[in-house]
């Protein structure tokens, strides 16, 4: 088998490259395409941004090449900053505007900005300042100052796109196994095939978007003899909506699901827009966030509060469980040997229910949470009849605040009960001190989120921070 992809308009078939070599290394060291830069090698700076169009997809997306592996490119189209120059000496609109606006000084970050903006310019999205800020939140520049880059972004995105609606991608390799450098990269196409190879290679890592696992390749330089890639498993890429619920496959990316989440749970969508950057959300998946089982993962508290059911698939078929029962202890889950996470099903909100979630971190964008609080309340005649409240970063696992829930049920949700319920947080959680936040800070913030929720529901504009 070969890895087939289109690079800057040229077909490539790679047969010898390590499947877990990062695309960044391949571009710079094997391809001589040194316009793509390495800053952090961990998805934070955006200097390595390239554009990726997956096989059969209409989406033109910026991704971090430092966390992407070569095996993930099969069937895709890749555009690097060098790929924009084939225009008879004419600059692409984004490049021209960066020049016109003095949007570069040392220039190290510039190719990454150009590629993030190239993806935005050709995405078909309605561009506002908010969208520009969102598209650039994963790109760091130390020298220029963002004003001129934003000005260039405004001007470039006003120029109509000259890229066809669907960019041609490569024909993916027919075989499911790629072997090179004593490594196997297996890319099953069906859930049954995935389970079969999972059984054959129980120790092999499951690779979805690679925004967590990619660090093993880029930073830790691990060489796994076998890697199992889940992005081509058809069942794992499905989104199914019914009258009462939405099911999202484990390999669906945040960007792919965002529009539906926005419609059904707008507050959850706001939180998702704060997961890493666009480059991260374009490849990062729900299955990866759950499978990673980090106590600071952003989606699990939301999904637990929303009463999400998880479907695990293994040799004996499907096993369903509430997501909250999946997390057992620090990074320990109920996933049995041979099983994978197949999908999650989120009930839609009923007429009397509301859902809000808040992420508190040091920076608004591209930061790990100090606390995430997620709240689903059922309110009938101004009385809370049911409460599902979950927090992340407050314990070894994302978990419900059972005593807070009990204290709210049967009460009206007003300023007084919000304060009183917040005080119960100290009974529900004993968080730890770490470099992100002290235990006391976490407890105060979590308690204050009840006040914020209450004011939010009331529509109060002036949300002051209150301590208890
Ligand atoms: C710069 C940066 C910023 C980030 N910011 C945030 C943030 O703000 N909030 C946040 O929550 N996370 C953040 N992350 C972490 C990461 O992006 C998320 O956890 C993401 O959802 C992981 O998804 P993935 O598809 O990339 O997972 P992968 O890296 O592919 O996999 C992660 C883990 O899940 C397992 N896994 C994947 N799929 C399955 C499956 N189907 N069944 C069982 N196990 C599976 C893998 O084996 C692996 O152990 C950030 C990461 C980076 C690099
Ligand atoms: S090198 Fe910094 S995000 Fe890739
Ligand atoms: S121009 Fe120097 S880091 Fe951006």
């Amino acid at each position: 088998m070969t890895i087939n992809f289109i690079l800057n308009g040229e077909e490539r078939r790679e047969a010898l490259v390590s499947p877990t070599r990062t695309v960044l290394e391949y571009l710079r060291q094997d391809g001589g395409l040194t316009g793509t830069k390495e800053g952090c090698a961990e998805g934070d700076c955006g200097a390595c941004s390239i554009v990726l169009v997956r096989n059969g997809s209409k989406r033109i997306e910026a991704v971090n090449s430092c966390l992407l592996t070569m095996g993930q490119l099969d069937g895709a189209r890749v555009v690097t900053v060098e790929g924009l120059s084939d225009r008879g000496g004419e600059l692409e609109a984004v490049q021209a505007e960066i020049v016109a606006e003095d949007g570069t000084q040392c220039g190290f970050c510039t190719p990454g900005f150009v590629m993030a903006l190239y993806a935005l310019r050709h995405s078909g999205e309605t561009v506002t300042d908010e969208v520009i800020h969102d598209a650039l939140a994963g790109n760091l520049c130390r020298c220029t100052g963002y004003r001129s880059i934003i000005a260039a972004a405004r001007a470039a995105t006003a120029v109509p796109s000259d890229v066809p609606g669907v960019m041609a991608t490569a024909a993916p390799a027919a075989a499911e196994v790629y072997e090179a450098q004593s490594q196997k990269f297996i890319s099953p196409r069906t859930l049954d095939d995935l389970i079969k190879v999972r059984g054959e290679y129980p120790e092999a890592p499951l690779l979805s978007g690679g925004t967590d696992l990619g660090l093993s390749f880029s930073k830790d330089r691990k060489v796994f003899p076998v890697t199992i890639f889940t992005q081509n498993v058809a069942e794992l890429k499905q989104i199914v909506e019914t009258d009462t619920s939405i099911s999202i496959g484990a390999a669906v990316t945040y960007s792919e699901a965002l529009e539906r989440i926005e419609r059904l749970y707008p507050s959850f969508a706001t939180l998702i827009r704060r997961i890493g950057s666009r480059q991260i959300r374009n490849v990062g998946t729900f299955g990866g966030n759950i499978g990673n089982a980090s106590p600071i993962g952003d989606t699990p508290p939301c999904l637990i509060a929303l009463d999400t059911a998880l479907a695990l698939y293994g040799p004996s078929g499907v096993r369903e469980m509430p997501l909250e029962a999946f997390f057992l202890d620090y990074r320990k889950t109920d996933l049995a040997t041979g099983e994978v996470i197949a999908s999650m099903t989120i009930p839609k909100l009923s007429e009397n229910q509301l859902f809000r979630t808040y992420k508190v971190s040091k920076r608004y964008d591209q930061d790990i949470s100090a606390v995430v609080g997620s709240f689903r309340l059922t309110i009938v005649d101004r009385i809370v009849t049911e409460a599902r409240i979950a927090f992340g970063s407050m314990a070894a696992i994302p978990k419900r605040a059972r005593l807070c829930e009990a204290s709210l049920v049967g009460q009206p949700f007003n300023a007084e009960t919000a304060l009183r319920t917040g005080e119960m947080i100290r009974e529900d959680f004993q968080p730890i001190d770490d470099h992100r936040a002290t235990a006391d800070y976490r407890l105060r913030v979590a308690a204050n989120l009840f006040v914020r929720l209450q004011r939010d529901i009331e529509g109060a504009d002036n949300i002051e921070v209150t301590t208890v």
Side-chain angles (χ1 to χ4, degrees):
M1 175 187 158
T2 50
I3 299 171
N4 303 343
F5 59 103
I6 297 175
L7 175 59
N8 295 336
E10 269 177 31
E11 282 197 22
R12 296 263 172 146
R13 281 171 192 271
E14 293 293 342
L16 301 174
V17 68
S18 154
T20 56
R21 184 164 176 76
T22 68
V23 173
L24 177 62
E25 285 177 339
Y26 170 84
L27 291 172
R28 290 181 58 82
Q29 293 169 17
D30 304 358
L33 296 172
T34 50
T36 308
K37 305 297 182 201
E38 174 167 338
C40 62
E42 53 187 33
D44 278 317
C45 74
C48 67
S49 299
I50 57 169
V51 161
L52 182 74
V53 185
R54 289 160 217 253
N55 186 256
S57 169
K58 292 184 183 157
R59 306 176 72 88
I60 298 174
E61 298 179 310
V63 300
N64 294 315
S65 60
C66 66
L67 295 180
L68 198 68
T69 62
M70 287 304 293
Q72 290 172 262
L73 288 192
D74 188 42
R77 184 183 191 99
V78 170
V79 187
T80 70
V81 73
E82 290 87 354
L84 309 191
S85 63
D86 186 19
R87 318 168 69 87
E90 197 186 313
L91 293 179
E92 213 276 343
V94 173
Q95 295 170 306
E97 294 300 338
I98 291 263
V99 173
E101 296 289 342
D102 292 327
T104 183
Q105 282 185 47
C106 80
F108 194 80
C109 67
T110 308
F113 274 94
V114 167
M115 296 318 290
L117 289 176
Y118 177 82
L120 175 64
R121 172 163 131 69
H122 300 295
S123 66
E125 225 174 314
T126 307
V127 178
T128 59
D129 270 11
E130 197 184 348
V131 169
I132 291 173
H133 285 284
D134 186 60
L136 294 182
N139 293 79
L140 301 183
C141 175
R142 294 162 309 148
C143 323
T144 301
Y146 286 82
R147 190 205 50 76
S148 50
I149 297 174
I150 304 289
R154 284 192 198 113
T157 51
V159 180
S161 169
D162 50 358
V163 159
V166 181
M167 278 176 118
T169 49
E176 294 183 1
V177 185
Y178 170 84
E179 260 186 288
Q181 314 255 345
S182 310
Q183 286 180 281
K184 274 190 184 159
F185 191 87
I186 310 178
S187 178
R189 309 298 202 252
T190 66
L191 197 43
D192 282 342
D193 285 353
L194 172 62
I195 296 308
K196 218 184 289 163
V197 292
R198 182 91 166 127
E200 275 171 52
Y201 303 103
E203 302 301 323
L206 283 180
L207 173 68
S208 186
T211 59
D212 282 315
L213 204 61
L215 292 172
S216 324
F217 310 121
S218 72
K219 281 268 150 147
D220 304 340
R221 307 264 154 201
K222 281 197 187 147
V223 180
F224 295 106
V226 182
T227 305
I228 303 171
F229 183 46
T230 62
Q231 278 289 316
N232 291 321
V233 178
E235 295 92 328
L236 264 49
K237 290 296 290 181
Q238 284 174 357
I239 302 183
V240 180
E241 195 176 334
T242 68
D243 286 346
T244 53
S245 66
I246 181 165
S247 290
I248 300 178
V252 171
T253 67
Y254 295 120
S255 299
E256 287 164 343
L258 192 59
E259 213 178 294
R260 306 245 198 161
I261 303 253
E262 175 83 66
R263 184 163 46 77
L264 298 174
Y265 321 97
S267 176
F268 191 10
T270 303
L271 177 131
I272 287 177
R273 280 200 198 85
R274 295 182 58 195
I275 294 181
S277 58
R278 275 199 182 192
Q279 285 91 328
I280 295 293
R281 297 190 295 276
N282 287 338
V283 282
T285 62
F286 290 90
N289 208 220
I290 295 168
N292 184 34
S294 160
I296 55 172
D298 281 339
T299 67
C302 304
L303 295 169
I304 290 172
L306 284 165
D307 201 8
T308 299
L310 207 56
L312 307 175
Y313 199 79
S316 40
V318 181
R319 185 162 70 99
E320 285 181 3
M321 61 160 57
L323 176 61
E324 62 180 304
F326 180 69
F327 301 108
L328 302 177
D329 205 342
Y330 181 71
R331 298 221 181 238
K332 194 164 172 264
T333 70
D334 196 38
L335 196 73
T337 310
E339 276 185 334
V340 300
I341 301 165
S343 64
M344 50 178 211
T345 300
I346 317 172
K348 287 188 178 172
L349 297 175
S350 69
E351 233 173 66
N352 296 323
Q353 282 177 339
L354 60 89
F355 175 76
R356 295 284 191 286
T357 185
Y358 307 104
K359 168 170 172 168
V360 180
S361 53
K362 287 185 182 144
R363 278 187 314 209
Y364 186 83
D365 287 306
Q366 182 74 303
D367 202 0
I368 302 290
S369 320
V371 175
V372 169
S374 308
F375 307 82
R376 191 189 76 176
L377 302 185
T378 310
I379 301 180
V380 179
D381 293 337
R382 305 184 73 82
I383 300 294
V384 178
T385 57
E386 194 213 22
R388 286 186 66 94
I389 300 168
F391 281 88
S393 303
M394 294 286 287
I397 54 172
K399 110 178 180 187
R400 280 172 76 178
R402 297 264 184 190
L403 296 174
C404 292
E405 291 177 357
S407 126
L408 258 188
V409 172
Q411 306 290 321
F413 191 43
N414 54 31
E416 192 191 317
T417 51
L419 262 184
R420 207 169 54 227
T421 309
E423 282 169 31
M424 298 299 294
I425 206 83
R426 288 175 188 271
E427 309 295 322
D428 269 316
F429 294 103
Q430 290 80 47
I432 54 160
D433 287 331
D434 66 16
H435 62 280
R436 271 178 220 102
T438 61
D440 190 50
Y441 173 81
R442 287 193 158 102
L443 288 166
R444 281 168 184 243
V445 163
N448 282 335
L449 289 183
F450 286 87
V451 177
R452 180 169 177 185
L453 171 70
Q454 196 267 329
R455 294 189 182 185
D456 195 354
I457 296 171
E458 249 184 19
D461 330 310
N462 183 15
I463 301 173
E464 284 169 26
V465 177
T466 314
T467 51
V468 292

